Amino acid sequence: MIPLLSPLRIVLLAAHLAAKSDIQSLTALAARHTKILRQDLLLRILLTCLPETLPPGQYVSLVQKIASRSLETDVELREVDWSSVQGITDDEAARKVRKLHLIPLVRENATKDKLADPISLFLIHRARRVDEEAGLLTQLPDLIVPFLDHAPCIRTWMVSVLLPLLRRNHEYYPRHPATQTLSTFDRMSDQAAVDLLLTQTGARQEDLAHVGRDLRGLIGPWLYNEARWVRGDENDHIICPGWERVLEWITTQASKSWRVAVRAIDQWDGPGDVDLGGYASMWLEDEEQEYLEQRYARAALASAYLIPEASVDALNGANNIVTKIMALLGQDPCPTLQVASSLLPPFASPAGERLLCAKNSTYMRKDLLDESNTLTAPSETSTQLLHMLILSAFILSKGGVPCSIRRAGELAFLQDQREQKAEATKFIHSLSNNGPKSDDKYWIRARNELLWLRDWGAEEFRGSDDARTHGVFGQLKREFLETECLKTFLSNTRYTLARSIYEDAPEKPLDIDTLRETVVSSAMNAYDNATNPHRGRGGLLKCDDIIHAFPQALGDTHPASKRIEALLKATHALSEYRLILKKGEPFTPVVLRVHTDPISMLGKVLEQNPKSYTQIQDFLEIGSNLADAGLLSQTQLDQSQPALEQAWQRSIIEKRITAMCVDTALTEDDFETAYSYVINRLAANAQTTPAKLGRQYMFKNTSMMDDYSWKAALQTGKYRRTARTVKPTHIGTASGNLDIRHLEQRMECLATALRVAPPATLQEILNVFRKCEEELNAAVKAEEEQESAWDDQGDLQVMPGAFSSTVPAGVVRSAKATSSRQVEEAPMSLFDLSRASMARAQRNLTALSSLQRSGNARSDETYDESGDGSGQQKVRKRDQLREAAVGTLASGVGWLIGAQPIDRGGERS
């Protein structure tokens, strides 16, 4: 039988039983003394004394009975061990009860209705103590779930506080739990709580698949709490700071780790997609739900603009965002980028065109979540515009020019022509360098995409070329894009396709002049990029194919075709020779075209290819082709020039090349070939400037003066025969003495130099001529002495029957056998002297005629300057011969009769 206990000892006994976790005895004691152990007192004893490690399942039934006030009726009475308080007086019991310091059932910042519910306060306080003291957060659902229907605040607290933290630390990221306790988490600000819940979301690559799960299972339940909402006084405007923080987190992830933002929006359907764990069914008010959805749609569009990466994957992710938001807003979803790039849909919305202004470009960089931002407003116009920007960036990135959404927006909003042209040029070059060489469908699609980027299909949609264009290439003229596209076709050998579009089509995209200029430019570009000078390979073959790809616009008779054909011939001819301009760098065709003096390159060919000077005709053809190709800037042939000027310019080119061959021949000690070129090519073609051109033309065109022939002839005349000199293969009627023959050839070359050299150089040439003549006289004299000695030896010793060489004293030989040269100089009659003088004149005719012709040339110049016919007429060759003979005669016999030499020159003057 239980003795009668005082209320203080009953309270002390209840505390003792709770501390010992004797729930059954405590229940029986509470059932016997319901008036003493009131509901709030019993709950405070449980909250203070009951061990936190005790599983909730052992005392939930007691709490339920306390909540239902059914202890007296539902509990079977049983004996209670009261020995722990049997020997305690009431005063001692009072002191011990005061020392218990029972925890009050008061919640910080609690509302009045919560203060009136001791059960709810007990459950929340108990859950906090279990987490703080024992860290047994996983046991709390067993404590709270049985009371979800007890009061709405319990259900709200369970869903918005306990469930998010429990999932965060023990279900989703058990290896990275948060250190904050349940009590701390409940007291945190909304921004801090959101940051805590999402610290591990998307942090690792393997967690990307669970981003939507975190938003659905952590943020979604956390929002279902009235404490999260703030209502304004004016117009009852509501705002959820925690939700704004969630949206900031999404947009921040878009700019830093776009895959997290894309996965978040792709895997989560927004604020209506919530996982409450089956603990409750809760709804937000319509106004709150609409606010959350509108703000979420704006944040999603902002995230698309903030994606910094310019890759196909990133753009596909951004397009998925737009597709998701369009579905949430009830709009028709946009196609995938792959489908859209094939369809190339038009964008001709008047509202969208109003958005495309320069001032709106700032909305892509700041204030993206602001209500005044028209680009991120959840409307059909903004979503379609964003889809167009994403598609434009996708086409550029797929074509090899990485372009982010913001970059595409800047091109479309700012409409900077220079920026657009730079991007278009890079896009076209990338297509040209990376595109397939044999797929016409690819190039047709590439052209369509290029033109679509200019106007987003507005021209085709409206059927007018005058429509205002707003695409990323809106400031570029269609002619420019078509021209660049044609160049791309030609550089990738799509000749048939290019001809079908630009020449054979009924509506030609380019006029005939632009087409012709583009084709010529492409041909020259192929030439410049060639590495092999052979016409049948590489770039030169492409150049040849291009100029023949458009027979109507650029036929074989067109001047541009002729120039390129001449250039190809000249380049191909050089491919037959070895040519290195710099050490280790072989000859490339572009060097020929950009060289300031292409003719000088022939000199290097002659130097690097032995005996190549013998192929002079090939080099003359190369020079002629270079002139026809317009590469000789100093001697460029103009079709508008008179035929006489063109012929003279060509002769100068030929003489320069011939002079190069002469110099090379002399360098290789081939005097005979050099002599042949001087006599047969330079001397035969030597002439002064045609009188019709006049000296004024020559002064204006100093490069047209023949400064090559006389130098080559002079160099040949200066050449001295050595042991390395190539011996002649055919002498003919010339002297058998090679030295005399060589000196005679030198004098002939010097005579040619005198005939064509400018007056200022005559003295130098004459000095060389005199020295050569002296050497010739000495050689002739030596030959005569040698002949005389040979004859004496033959007469006296060799010939049979000859007399003794010893001549008696007083006996004189009657005569000697004389040489042919001695015969000419023997005493003779006046008539014989005339004949001998005539023979001497004929022998020296070359030198004499050279001097005479040089004088005649100067006389012609004087005649041209005076402009009248009063000057002396040109002297005929037979008159020269006569004057030489008579002059020689007078100088030979004049000493006999005291006559003076005839001065014909004085008479002429």
Side-chain angles (χ1 to χ4, degrees):
M1 180 178 179
I2 301 177
L4 296 176
L5 299 177
S6 63
L8 291 175
R9 286 197 288 178
I10 291 174
V11 172
L12 190 60
L13 178 59
H16 174 71
L17 295 175
K20 292 176 59 178
S21 303
D22 190 355
I23 303 301
Q24 292 182 354
S25 299
L26 179 60
T27 303
L29 179 64
R32 285 180 179 273
H33 304 282
T34 56
K35 293 181 179 180
I36 298 175
L37 297 176
R38 300 180 307 275
Q39 185 184 50
D40 58 338
L41 179 58
L42 184 57
L43 291 176
R44 291 177 65 190
I45 292 173
L46 291 175
L47 182 61
T48 305
C49 301
L50 193 65
E52 286 78 9
T53 57
L54 184 66
Q58 297 185 17
Y59 59 90
V60 164
S61 59
L62 173 59
V63 179
Q64 287 176 329
K65 290 180 176 64
I66 296 174
S68 61
R69 299 180 184 275
S70 60
L71 286 174
E72 295 180 346
T73 59
D74 294 345
V75 176
E76 181 181 355
L77 298 178
R78 52 171 291 179
E79 293 292 333
V80 178
D81 183 8
W82 53 272
S83 59
S84 59
V85 296
Q86 185 175 3
I88 299 176
T89 64
D90 291 342
D91 294 337
E92 293 176 348
R95 288 195 302 270
K96 290 185 177 183
V97 168
R98 285 195 296 269
K99 292 181 179 180
L100 291 176
H101 300 293
L102 297 179
I103 301 173
L105 296 177
V106 179
R107 185 182 180 187
E108 299 176 1
N109 300 325
T111 57
K112 293 182 179 180
D113 60 331
K114 292 180 180 179
L115 284 175
D117 183 11
I119 296 296
S120 298
L121 292 176
F122 166 79
L123 293 173
I124 293 174
H125 278 285
R126 178 63 182 178
R128 289 179 173 180
R129 288 183 62 83
V130 170
D131 179 47
E132 292 175 357
E133 301 297 334
L136 299 175
L137 193 63
T138 56
Q139 294 184 4
L140 297 184
D142 297 336
L143 173 64
I144 304 299
V145 170
F147 300 94
L148 290 178
D149 296 332
H150 173 76
C153 64
I154 293 297
R155 183 168 57 252
T156 300
W157 186 86
M158 169 68 187
V159 170
S160 64
V161 179
L162 176 58
L163 182 60
L165 188 61
L166 178 64
R167 284 176 169 172
R168 162 68 177 79
N169 288 348
H170 297 280
E171 292 185 27
Y172 295 170
Y173 304 102
R175 296 183 178 179
H176 305 279
T179 59
Q180 286 77 3
T181 62
L182 189 62
S183 177
T184 304
F185 175 70
D186 196 10
R187 292 194 300 266
M188 293 175 70
S189 65
D190 292 347
Q191 293 81 356
V194 170
D195 293 340
L196 174 66
L197 293 175
L198 298 178
T199 50
Q200 294 299 319
T201 302
R204 297 177 298 176
Q205 184 70 24
E206 55 269 23
D207 295 332
L208 290 178
H210 307 306
V211 177
R213 177 205 65 182
D214 292 357
L215 294 171
R216 187 183 303 107
L218 300 179
I219 300 300
W222 181 83
L223 291 173
Y224 282 80
N225 192 323
E226 283 297 324
R228 313 287 185 244
W229 296 87
V230 178
R231 297 184 180 273
D233 296 335
E234 298 180 1
N235 300 325
D236 198 23
H237 180 69
I238 61 174
I239 187 173
C240 180
W243 182 242
E244 295 297 325
R245 181 57 183 169
V246 172
L247 301 182
E248 291 177 5
W249 179 86
I250 294 176
T251 54
T252 302
Q253 293 297 324
S255 60
K256 294 182 178 180
S257 179
W258 63 268
R259 297 181 187 275
V260 176
V262 170
R263 294 295 182 92
I265 299 172
D266 189 43
Q267 298 172 9
W268 189 36
D269 292 334
D273 184 11
V274 182
D275 180 12
L276 301 179
Y279 296 121
S281 297
M282 305 176 70
W283 295 270
L284 298 173
E285 295 181 4
D286 293 342
E287 184 183 6
E288 295 173 345
Q289 188 69 29
E290 182 181 1
Y291 162 79
L292 294 177
E293 291 178 353
Q294 291 293 315
R295 296 294 295 169
Y296 176 68
R298 184 180 290 275
L301 297 179
S303 299
Y305 280 106
L306 288 172
I307 295 178
E309 187 170 319
S311 64
V312 173
D313 291 340
L315 296 173
N316 279 322
N319 194 66
N320 292 339
I321 292 177
V322 177
T323 303
K324 189 64 172 288
I325 297 306
M326 295 176 75
L328 293 177
L329 297 176
Q331 303 174 10
D332 294 334
C334 61
T336 63
L337 293 180
Q338 287 72 16
V339 175
S341 62
S342 300
L343 299 176
L344 297 177
F347 180 73
S349 171
E353 293 179 358
R354 287 194 295 271
L355 289 179
L356 289 167
C357 57
K359 66 178 183 179
N360 287 339
S361 63
T362 58
Y363 286 138
M364 295 188 301
R365 298 185 296 273
K366 61 181 181 179
D367 301 331
L368 283 95
L369 296 178
D370 194 86
E371 290 294 329
S372 62
N373 193 321
T374 57
L375 299 183
T376 58
S379 63
E380 184 176 1
T381 301
S382 61
T383 54
Q384 288 182 354
L385 174 60
L386 179 56
H387 175 64
M388 288 294 160
L389 294 176
I390 295 173
L391 180 57
S392 300
F394 173 77
I395 292 175
L396 290 173
S397 299
K398 182 186 64 173
V401 182
C403 179
S404 64
I405 300 173
R406 181 181 295 181
R407 176 59 176 165
E410 291 174 350
L411 294 174
F413 287 119
L414 300 179
Q415 290 294 312
D416 189 312
Q417 183 179 9
R418 184 171 60 180
E419 293 291 331
Q420 291 182 356
K421 188 173 183 179
E423 290 294 323
T425 303
K426 290 191 293 185
F427 178 64
I428 294 170
H429 287 177
S430 178
L431 292 176
S432 178
N433 296 331
N434 303 322
K437 304 298 182 181
S438 59
D439 187 1
D440 284 350
K441 293 182 179 180
Y442 170 86
W443 294 110
I444 293 174
R445 183 170 65 253
R447 174 177 176 267
N448 293 336
E449 291 175 349
L450 178 64
L451 297 178
W452 181 88
L453 289 172
R454 174 178 174 267
D455 54 20
W456 284 344
E459 287 187 5
E460 183 178 354
F461 181 77
R462 296 176 179 174
S464 173
D465 293 341
D466 298 331
R468 184 181 178 187
T469 56
H470 295 282
V472 295
F473 297 155
Q475 288 297 310
L476 303 182
K477 294 183 179 180
R478 180 171 184 141
E479 178 181 338
F480 168 76
L481 297 179
E482 292 283 10
T483 300
E484 295 299 318
C485 193
L486 173 58
K487 292 179 181 179
T488 303
F489 287 172
L490 297 179
S491 65
N492 287 272
T493 67
R494 299 293 89 210
Y495 308 127
T496 304
L497 176 62
R499 184 168 58 251
S500 65
I501 295 176
Y502 296 98
E503 188 176 62
D504 299 338
E507 296 182 2
K508 298 178 174 57
L510 298 174
D511 59 80
I512 188 66
D513 293 334
T514 304
L515 175 61
R516 187 178 294 119
E517 292 176 1
T518 305
V519 172
V520 172
S521 175
S522 298
M524 298 314 300
N525 184 63
Y527 178 90
D528 292 342
N529 292 326
T531 57
N532 191 331
H534 195 281
R535 183 171 183 172
R537 301 179 187 137
L540 264 63
L541 176 61
K542 181 184 291 187
C543 177
D544 192 17
D545 293 339
I546 289 175
I547 62 174
H548 293 94
F550 296 85
Q552 299 178 18
L554 202 65
D556 294 338
T557 58
H558 193 274
S561 296
K562 292 181 178 179
R563 287 196 302 270
I564 297 177
E565 181 67 24
L567 178 61
L568 292 176
K569 288 181 178 178
T571 309
H572 179 75
L574 289 176
S575 68
E576 303 296 331
Y577 299 94
R578 179 179 180 269
L579 176 58
I580 298 178
L581 300 179
K582 294 182 180 180
K583 185 176 182 180
E585 296 183 10
F587 166 72
T588 54
V590 67
V591 176
L592 180 64
R593 203 166 81 89
V594 301
H595 203 283
T596 56
D597 186 13
I599 294 295
S600 64
M601 297 175 62
L602 300 182
K604 293 185 176 295
V605 174
L606 292 169
E607 293 175 3
Q608 299 175 18
N609 297 267
K611 299 297 183 181
S612 58
Y613 59 86
T614 59
Q615 307 296 326
I616 187 173
Q617 193 59 38
D618 293 344
F619 292 103
L620 292 176
E621 291 180 3
I622 293 175
S624 176
N625 287 326
L626 291 177
D628 293 339
L631 298 187
L632 307 182
S633 57
Q634 297 179 348
T635 58
Q636 186 169 355
L637 298 182
D638 188 352
Q639 298 299 326
S640 62
Q641 290 178 329
L644 186 61
E645 294 182 13
Q646 295 185 28
W648 174 251
Q649 292 175 1
R650 288 187 178 276
S651 68
I652 294 298
I653 296 172
E654 293 180 1
K655 291 174 182 178
R656 182 182 179 188
I657 295 175
T658 303
M660 288 181 177
C661 293
V662 170
D663 291 341
T664 306
L666 294 176
T667 302
E668 299 186 24
D669 294 308
D670 190 352
F671 174 81
E672 295 295 326
T673 301
Y675 166 78
S676 173
Y677 290 164
V678 171
I679 299 304
N680 297 327
R681 293 184 180 273
L682 297 181
N685 298 328
Q687 57 181 351
T688 59
T689 307
K692 294 182 180 180
L693 294 181
R695 292 180 59 84
Q696 189 175 11
Y697 170 81
M698 296 304 298
F699 286 133
K700 291 182 179 180
N701 300 272
T702 56
S703 60
M704 292 295 98
M705 299 180 63
D706 182 11
D707 201 28
Y708 309 104
S709 298
W710 71 271
K711 289 182 179 180
L714 177 59
Q715 289 300 114
T716 307
K718 288 182 177 181
Y719 181 84
R720 293 182 177 276
R721 186 169 175 270
T722 65
R724 296 190 303 272
T725 302
V726 178
K727 295 182 179 180
T729 57
H730 178 71
I731 297 179
T733 59
S735 173
N737 189 323
L738 295 182
D739 292 332
I740 295 177
R741 179 178 182 274
H742 178 70
L743 290 171
E744 290 175 345
Q745 289 175 326
R746 285 179 57 191
M747 291 186 65
E748 192 172 356
C749 292
L750 292 172
T752 301
L754 286 171
R755 191 164 62 249
V756 298
T761 61
L762 291 180
Q763 186 61 44
E764 176 187 359
I765 301 174
L766 285 173
N767 293 336
V768 178
F769 186 89
R770 292 192 188 100
K771 291 180 181 180
C772 186
E773 187 176 28
E774 292 174 358
E775 294 177 6
L776 177 60
N777 292 336
V780 170
K781 184 176 181 180
E783 182 186 32
E784 291 174 353
E785 293 176 354
Q786 183 178 6
E787 289 180 358
S788 176
W790 178 264
D791 290 343
D792 290 344
Q793 183 179 7
D795 292 342
L796 300 177
Q797 298 178 5
V798 179
M799 293 298 294
F803 295 99
S804 173
S805 59
T806 303
V807 180
V811 179
V812 181
R813 289 185 181 272
S814 59
K816 284 186 179 180
T818 59
S819 65
S820 61
R821 298 185 188 274
Q822 290 173 327
V823 170
E824 294 178 1
E825 298 178 359
M828 58 186 68
S829 65
L830 190 61
F831 178 75
D832 292 335
L833 183 61
S834 299
R835 287 195 308 174
S837 299
M838 182 66 70
R840 178 183 293 273
Q842 289 178 342
R843 188 176 69 241
N844 296 331
L845 180 59
T846 300
L848 292 172
S849 62
S850 300
L851 293 173
Q852 185 66 33
R853 287 177 185 175
S854 63
N856 291 340
R858 287 187 287 273
S859 298
D860 288 344
E861 292 178 0
T862 303
Y863 173 80
D864 293 337
E865 292 176 356
S866 62
D868 56 19
S870 62
Q872 178 185 349
Q873 301 297 328
K874 299 177 69 172
V875 182
R876 294 175 299 179
K877 187 174 182 180
R878 63 188 182 188
D879 294 334
Q880 296 176 13
L881 183 61
R882 182 189 61 197
E883 290 175 5
V886 174
T888 304
L889 176 62
S891 62
V893 301
W895 61 275
L896 293 175
I897 61 178
Q900 296 296 325
I902 299 176
D903 186 4
R904 299 285 185 181
E907 294 178 1
R908 287 194 298 271
S909 62

